[in-house]
Amino acid sequence: MAEGRVYDLFVIGGGINGCGIARDAAGRGYSVALAEMNDFASGTSSGSTKLIHGGLRYLEHYEFRLVREALMEREVLWAMAPHVIWPLRFVLPYQKGGVRPAWLIRLGLFLYDHLGGRKLLPATKTIDLRRDEAGKPLKPLFGRAFEYSDGWVDDARIVVLNARDAQIRGATILSRHKVTSARRDGDAWAVTVAHTLSGETQTIRARMLVNAAGPWVDQVLAGAMGRNNAHNVRLVQGSHIVVRKKFDHARAYFFQNPDNRIFFAIPYEGEFTLIGTTDRDYTGDPKAIRISDEEVNYLCNAASEYFAEPVRPADIVWSYSAVRPLYDDGASKAQEATRDYVLKLDETEGAPLLNVFGGKLTTYRRLAEHALEKIGGAIGTRGASWTAGSRLPGGDFAVLGFEAEVKRLLSHSPFITRVHAERLVRCYGTDAGVMLGKAETAADLGYHFGGSLYEAEVRWLIDKEWAVTAEDVLWRRTKQGLFLTAAQAAGLEDYMTGARHAA
């Protein structure tokens, strides 16, 4: 980092919004620095239900603008990252006398099919659960269902891919750097960051500051900036459980609860089913978020109302929880609070500040575009919007070309299994072959940590994707934590510790 350099933008926060804004800005020619106090996507952005979706239930709250924007983004994002995003069909079982009448569901799905410029995703249809395999794992009282399209995303990976692409385009990306102070100094911001491992500090100057700290956006305003009246964010806890797979087909389920809340059951990592989410207000420290016994029981009981084989707490192999930093619009219930984003520009005291509130994975690219409009108005426009036709690292293959990419990798590295190849293409796309390099045998990939995780992949994650701990590798960059024993995970942690000390 050049001494005395003044960046155009300093972005606080390495979640999907911060990384998306940094990437868009760097691609337009702005000089950008971004600091994330922990690992990328270690907060809200890796704790989602992992969907690229319009938000069918948001239609009930008349959020038509948000739903339309999200629906239009599904295929844009799919084309941008066909390795970490793919289409998914959702089965919505219908029960007469249920929470929502059939006509209302049909109306919602009609709008869903026609609001958002759908081209490749198939349309809604009605299915007979007594004849369709989607009915097999369900209780026999469900005879009919609606089936519609949305998308699945590896949430943590799309965040780090945005960070990588921002860096490739010239941005300075600082992981594990906490902003301890941000103050206006003349016509620029002076931002002091402290490395969370070494404790070393540095001060970086920038013409404009973007506060995209997610759940910590108010804490940044109150702590680093000394504004004690910051109360803009409503924290809503969402928790998920993962169990051994409940069904063999590749579709997901959209379930409705009698309390008007909805939840999903989604095929996960080949051998599991992901069930979630919950919605409840949260007032604690976002770093301390954990699934509660109440939420575990809620999800198990709710899923057991649909599946013929009950879901019990003892079946859970993993769970995760995160807080959504929703803009506080005064909604009475957590599930009714707006999922839309709000961008607030502050130019009252000199160097401009943009605060980012709310948002969701599906609309992060559009949020970034809208942020760049405000940034351009504040410090001057550079370049036109460009991300709609772009590709994220590893995503430079045909949107329907996943199978061809797997075959190409198996041809390049015939010693790996098909399941391993599919996972690598899902994680890294065309970079998978680059990562495996000239290896001719599994032994050439180095130490085998367990599952399908080898040293060559771990080195890639350290060198290219800022991975520092075993948790970064096992639960964010990959989901191999589901397949490693505790002893194997400890072995990886020892390796990561050694790599840190050798760096």
Side-chain angles (χ1 to χ4, degrees), residues 204-317:
I204 302 165
R205 291 175 59 82
R207 297 168 60 206
M208 184 169 182
L209 187 64
V210 177
N211 179 11
W216 292 273
V217 66
D218 280 344
Q219 289 185 26
V220 168
L221 287 169
M225 299 183 193
R227 300 183 180 187
N228 296 320
N229 60 342
H231 301 289
N232 304 282
V233 172
R234 178 176 187 168
L235 300 181
V236 173
Q237 180 172 6
S239 297
H240 299 76
I241 58 175
V242 175
V243 299
R244 293 286 172 187
K245 67 178 180 180
K246 301 290 291 181
F247 46 91
D248 291 323
H249 59 81
R251 288 169 286 177
Y253 292 96
F254 177 119
F255 293 143
Q256 306 174 84
N257 260 2
D259 62 4
N260 268 336
R261 288 193 274 180
I262 61 97
F263 67 102
F264 298 93
I266 303 169
Y268 193 61
E269 295 299 315
E271 298 181 21
F272 305 94
T273 298
L274 171 65
I275 299 173
T277 181
T278 56
D279 262 319
R280 66 177 197 170
D281 285 310
Y282 183 78
T283 56
D285 184 344
K287 284 193 297 186
I289 190 87
R290 296 289 185 276
I291 190 170
S292 66
D293 290 343
E294 178 189 349
E295 289 175 299
V296 166
N297 291 329
Y298 173 84
L299 290 173
C300 288
N301 292 338
S304 298
E305 288 296 313
Y306 283 88
F307 288 119
E309 181 184 89
V311 177
R312 300 180 177 89
D315 300 331
I316 298 171
V317 297

Side-chain angles (χ1 to χ4, degrees), residues 116-136:
R118 177 182 54 83
K119 294 176 183 176
L120 294 175
L121 294 171
T124 298
K125 67 178 183 179
T126 303
I127 58 174
D128 184 344
L129 291 174
R130 291 162 296 191
R131 299 182 179 181
D132 191 287
E133 65 175 344
K136 289 180 181 177

Side-chain angles (χ1 to χ4, degrees), residues 15 19 71 82 158 198 207 217 238 262 268 281 304 306 311 334 340 396 406-407 419 423 428 432 440 498:
C19 291
L71 288 170
I158 199 170
S198 70
R207 297 168 60 206
V217 66
I262 61 97
Y268 193 61
D281 285 310
S304 298
Y306 283 88
V311 177
D340 211 344
D396 51 336
V406 171
K407 289 179 178 177
V419 171
R423 183 183 76 77
Y428 309 103
E440 296 181 355

